[in-house]
Amino acid sequence: MIATSERPTDTPDLGSVLRELRRRRGLSQLDLAAAADVSARHLSFVENGRSRPGRELLLRLADRLAADAAQRDTLLVAAGHAPLRPGATGAVVDGIGGVLDTGAAPRDTGDTGSPAASAVEAGRRALLSAGSPAVDTVVVATAAPGRPGRPAAPEVADRLGLGDAAAFDLATVCGGFLYGLANAVGLVASGASERVLLIASDAGAPEPCPPWTTAARQWLAGAGAVVLRAGSADEPGALGTVVLGTDARRAAPSAERLYAASLRAMEAVGWTAGDIDRLAADRGEPEAVVALAGRLNVSAERRLGPAGGSAGLASSLARAAQDGTLAAGHRVLLTAYEGDRTWAAAALRWPRLRG
């Protein structure tokens, strides 16, 4: 056990960090104590500095608080323990590519069990942008139906020449790109992967979030991809906390849930609404995007899109990066919701990409 007086002066106060994480999750001391199988009295002692928790208990608390890798290591260091991975490791956007289906983009014909050609093309462009064809994991976020035992990701990886890279599908609807980002961030932060190719492709999927405009259908039928690499958590392109949520009973309006998730994503990187340079909001209903932008004080010229479906958000980012609408240094808020039941948000400072 390390006494308070022995803690370096630049190390965060454990009690303050723990209380802030608990507050963000909306948990009382009693709630967290019960979830972490510790007495409320002991947790109170930890928060007020009268007791220092062991490494095992602290990791258990971090798990119950859904702390990301950087937050977990902050807790460990504040308590006098070594971080799990020295230095904060972040998942950094390293390349991007997209295909918008305007009738000329490559598409599959007939075989719904095979990966869409647009997914392969988007992945190829993202790898080219990253300047390296090497990745160790491929994730395909898609709402397109496939045949049992025939996920799209292994075939996409094979067609991209990625050898024995790990590959799996993420079956989602409109929020698939952000749910895929959350998975990719976890793979990088845990050390399971050094480089991840995330592709969002809904070609061949039914329209999941009506009503759809003609423009939104083009985004839905296209594909978008990003390459994420391990890097510093504070460098441009590093993703902050990806906030995810579901509400199958629709107990609260999705717009309210999405707004709250956006605030949490901004808070995780120290932003306020006035800091947003670009808003990329995924949903086929423009009214929802307008409402969210209004509450966040984001003018129309700072919104990216239109975007529809998982593929739409990813390809919208790729197109904006290509035409200069999205530039290095821009503070970008990504949001998505689907069917009034699933929502997601994340924030990052856009990096300088190769192409």
Side-chain angles (χ1 to χ4, degrees):
M1 184 178 297
I2 297 179
T4 303
S5 60
E6 297 175 334
R7 186 165 47 87
T9 56
D10 59 349
T11 300
D13 174 72
L14 174 62
S16 298
V17 175
L18 195 56
R19 278 193 301 274
E20 178 61 16
L21 285 174
R22 179 169 59 76
R23 183 190 67 78
R24 291 181 184 180
R25 301 294 180 263
L27 297 174
S28 66
Q29 276 190 350
L30 189 60
D31 292 334
L32 179 57
D37 193 26
V38 63
S39 73
R41 184 170 183 267
H42 183 53
L43 180 58
S44 176
F45 279 9
V46 170
E47 287 197 0
N48 63 28
R50 295 179 62 185
S51 177
R52 291 280 168 188
R55 189 179 184 84
E56 180 181 349
L57 172 57
L58 202 55
L59 290 174
R60 196 159 69 243
L61 288 169
D63 179 67
R64 302 306 184 269
L65 289 166
D68 61 27
Q71 293 167 337
R72 176 203 63 204
D73 282 350
T74 295
L75 287 170
L76 286 169
V77 171
H81 303 294
L84 292 186
R85 299 186 71 190
T89 300
V92 181
V93 174
D94 197 38
I96 191 164
V99 175
L100 175 62
D101 184 4
T102 61
R107 301 181 66 181
D108 271 1
T109 55
D111 184 5
T112 58
S114 67
S118 54
V120 176
E121 179 61 17
R124 186 191 69 79
R125 295 182 185 185
L127 292 170
L128 185 63
S129 170
S132 170
V135 297
D136 43 29
T137 305
V138 178
V139 181
V140 176
T142 180
R147 295 186 304 208
R150 290 285 302 278
E155 293 188 44
V156 169
D158 180 66
R159 289 170 63 173
L160 288 170
L162 295 177
D164 58 356
F168 63 91
D169 286 5
L170 187 65
T172 56
V173 192
C174 290
F177 180 63
L178 284 179
Y179 270 74
L181 280 179
N183 277 264
V185 168
L187 288 167
V188 172
S190 68
S193 295
E194 288 294 321
R195 294 173 64 82
V196 179
L197 172 62
L198 168 63
I199 303 173
S201 174
D202 293 326
E207 294 183 5
C209 312
W212 288 92
T213 64
T214 300
R217 287 189 179 93
Q218 290 181 352
W219 292 101
L220 175 68
V226 294
V227 175
L228 300 179
R229 62 167 173 80
S232 171
D234 58 2
E235 69 177 286
L239 280 151
T241 300
V242 183
V243 179
L244 307 175
T246 59
D247 181 10
R249 297 183 180 182
R250 305 188 184 189
S254 59
E256 292 300 319
R257 298 285 200 181
L258 183 59
Y259 177 64
S262 298
L263 293 182
R264 281 182 56 196
M266 290 188 294
E267 184 181 55
V269 294
W271 298 355
T272 63
D275 295 325
I276 301 172
D277 295 310
R278 296 291 183 268
L279 170 64
D282 178 23
R283 184 77 200 263
E285 299 176 4
E287 298 83 4
V289 177
V290 171
L292 178 64
R295 297 189 69 174
L296 295 176
N297 298 316
V298 177
S299 58
E301 61 270 17
R302 291 188 286 137
R303 300 201 301 266
L304 305 182
S310 299
L313 181 55
S315 53
S316 176
L317 287 171
R319 188 179 191 185
Q322 184 178 32
D323 66 19
T325 305
L326 180 58
H330 277 158
R331 290 161 294 193
V332 187
L333 176 66
L334 311 176
T335 66
Y337 72 95
E338 176 272 318
D340 298 328
R341 292 184 290 183
T342 299
W343 60 90
L348 77 158
R349 186 180 292 274
W350 199 252
R352 187 174 302 279
L353 300 178
R354 297 171 184 83

